């Protein structure tokens, strides 16, 4: 992750979760001049230069549509600019080309997100449902995240000086425009109050045991043909490996026909060549494109082994489920890193951006080591994605929760500096966080959340997790400070609740990024934690730090923060909807 400080010009906002963050109390449907509407955005002066100024008045819906439409045009122009610069790739360094390629991909995502958002806002001039509003707010939040990621990548590429001025200058105004669009959408279309929606799947704070694993077996609903293939493959593989734990996991349990995870098709990856594929990427490539998940998941079963490949689940591979033989059985490993010329965004061993992805029972590693600095194990930019019973292992920047909505349950995460970072709306539940031994003179920071705008619905919620030192740190003769997090971006938002913190957590809890950057505008909170490291009496005294109560904490639960009751049940992963 970029270690360079990037300050954005934004207003002070300390309200942690209320969706309506407008400064203005003007009713959305009332006609007002642009100058009035612009007061409800983080950039009033810039907003006044963007909205029509021909002495007309309008309401927030008309102004919002105008801003999103203009954002689409701007995103397309930026994409064309990147493509123009890439035509000069022969005169650029490899790192500069990689930074530009990252920007091209991110710009393409922005065009898609803005077009999809406009299709919704163009059809209605009234408040949307919580679920509809969250979809669009998530997309517009991701547009800002993608733009910031491009900026970070270009700034970190020392050899890209020749292209920076021509690209970063327009990006500054692009960011402001996207922020205005998000603010106007939030004011006009998002329901006021807290983002809590009671649905038919809500469990009222109780644990849903999930249906993916029942009594140690996979509980999948699939055709008789696929069941036979799966049983044959798993039994054959497990007999060869004589691993009783695997045999338990990989039997198909058909005992609960009413609560099974639906599977449309299955392919099997085995390194000995006895099944469909020897490469994980080849299996992913065989998946159908752009499915909606209504017919179930496309299941890629990856048998035990060490897979030295850089796995990518692209945007068009939706509702793909990847199941391994278990942690430390199915291992995916790579060693790309920033020191060797890769961007932070594109050095990950495992990259997933396909909507609805579910990963189960795998270990994913980046073995570059602490000396190589940023070296990502997993980059996740997949909306409505879930990882269950997986292990992520690296040092600096292990888990990149880049954007959109994500859920992690019963996972192990190992790292040193900023090892859970990014700007998704992400909940980690019942996970084990293991800070490791960093390089000499380094400290550990578990999180570095990257929220840049007060209207983004993003942040990290760490619930009912266990935070203990990894063996190398626990046995070290050196004293290493370990912090809960530090503010990577101006509106960084991270909440620890109902988690166990061991004694090695530094008493102040949180570290600065640089000077007083973001200490007023970040939102860091703790609620109901336990263990010797959870004592808040000596925590930092920044305006952005809070010890919160139940009323505030419920906003960061699966049900409220992710509206997870609407999409996590179909994954079969166990989860707790509310507070524990």
């Amino acid at each position: 992750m970029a270690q360079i400080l990037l300050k954005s010009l934004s207003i002070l906002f300390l309200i942690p979760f209320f969706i309506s963050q407008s400064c203005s109390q003007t009713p959305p449907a009332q006609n007002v001049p642009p100058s009035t509407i612009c007061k409800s955005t983080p950039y009033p002066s810039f907003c006044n230069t963007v909205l029509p100024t021909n002495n007309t008045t309008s309401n927030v819906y008309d102004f919002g549509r105008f801003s999103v439409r203009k954002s689409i045009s701007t995103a397309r122009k930026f994409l064309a600019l990147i493509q123009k610069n890439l035509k000069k790739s022969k005169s650029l360094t490899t790192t500069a080309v990689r930074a530009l390629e990252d920007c091209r991909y991110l710009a393409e995502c922005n065009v898609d997100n803005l077009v999809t958002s406009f299709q919704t806002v163009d059809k209605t001039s009234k408040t949307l449902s919580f679920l509809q509003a969250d979809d669009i707010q998530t997309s517009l939040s991701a547009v800002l995240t993608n733009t910031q990621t491009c900026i970070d990548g270009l700034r970190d590429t020392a050899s890209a000086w020749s292209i920076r001025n021509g690209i970063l200058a327009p990006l500054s105004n692009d960011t402001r425009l996207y922020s205005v669009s998000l603010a106007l959408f939030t004011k006009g279309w998002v329901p006021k109050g807290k983002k809590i929606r009671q649905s038919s799947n809500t469990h009222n704070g109780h644990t849903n045991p999930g249906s993916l694993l029942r009594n140690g077996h996979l509980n999948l609903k699939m055709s008789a043909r696929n069941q036979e293939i799966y049983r044959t493959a798993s039994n054959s593989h497990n007999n060869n490996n004589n691993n009783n734990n695997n045999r338990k996991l990989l039997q198909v349990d058909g005992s609960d026909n009413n609560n099974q995870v639906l599977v449309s098709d299955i392919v099997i990856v085995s390194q000995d060549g006895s099944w469909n594929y020897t490469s994980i990427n080849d299996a992913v490539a065989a998946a159908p494109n752009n499915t909606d998940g209504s017919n179930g998941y496309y299941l890629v079963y990856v048998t035990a082994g060490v897979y030295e490949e850089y796995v990518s689940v692209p945007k068009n591979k939706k509702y793909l489920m990847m199941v391994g033989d278990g942690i430390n059985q199915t291992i995916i490993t790579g060693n790309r890193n920033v020191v060797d010329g890769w961007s932070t965004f594109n050095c990950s061993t495992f990259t997933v951006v396909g909507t609805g992805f579910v990963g189960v029972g795998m270990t994913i590693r980046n073995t570059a080591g602490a000396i190589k600095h940023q070296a990502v194990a997993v980059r996740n930019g997949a909306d409505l994605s879930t990882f269950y019973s997986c292990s992520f292992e690296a040092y600096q920047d292990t888990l990149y929760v880049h954007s959109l909505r994500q859920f992690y349950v019963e996972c192990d995460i190992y790292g040193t500096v900023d090892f859970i970072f990014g700007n998704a709306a992400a909940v980690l539940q019942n996970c084990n966080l293991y800070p490791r031994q960093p390089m000499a003179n380094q400290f550990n920071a578990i999180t570095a959340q990257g929220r840049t705008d007060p209207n983004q619905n993003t942040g990290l919620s760490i619930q009912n997790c266990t935070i203990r030192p990894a063996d190398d740190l626990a046995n070290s003769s050196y004293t290493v400070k370990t912090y809960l997090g530090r503010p990577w971006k101006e509106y960084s938002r991270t909440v620890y609740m109902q988690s166990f913190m061991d004694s090695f957590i530094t008493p102040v809890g949180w570290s600065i990024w640089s000077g007083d950057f973001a200490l007023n505008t970040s939102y860091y909170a703790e609620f109901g934690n336990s263990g010797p490291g959870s004592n808040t009496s000596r925590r930092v005294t920044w305006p952005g730090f809070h010890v919160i109560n139940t009323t505030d904490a419920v906003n960061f639960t699966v049900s409220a923060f992710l509206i997870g009751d609407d999409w996590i049940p179909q994954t079969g992963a166990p989860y707790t909807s509310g507070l524990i």
Side-chain angles (χ1 to χ4, degrees), residues 36 107 172 187 286 341 350-351 477 569 575:
T36 300
S172 177
K187 180 171 177 59
F350 192 102
T351 303
S477 59
Y575 77 102

Side-chain angles (χ1 to χ4, degrees), residues 378-446:
V378 172
R379 171 168 61 84
N380 187 357
D383 198 21
L384 309 178
S385 56
T386 301
F387 279 92
Y388 170 33
S389 189
C390 289
S391 182
F392 312 122
E393 302 174 8
Y395 288 84
Q396 182 171 345
D397 291 3
T398 303
L399 176 59
Y400 193 173
V401 290
H402 180 260
S403 56
L404 306 170
R405 294 164 289 192
Q406 308 176 13
F407 180 59
Y408 301 82
V409 61
E410 297 180 18
C411 292
D412 298 335
I413 309 165
Y414 296 80
T416 56
V417 180
D418 306 335
F419 69 90
I420 304 170
F421 76 108
N423 196 27
V427 174
L428 283 64
Q429 194 175 87
N430 304 342
C431 293
N432 297 306
L433 312 184
Y434 293 112
R436 306 175 80 166
Q437 179 70 31
M439 291 193 298
N441 301 317
Q442 281 189 327
F443 60 81
N444 287 332
I446 296 173

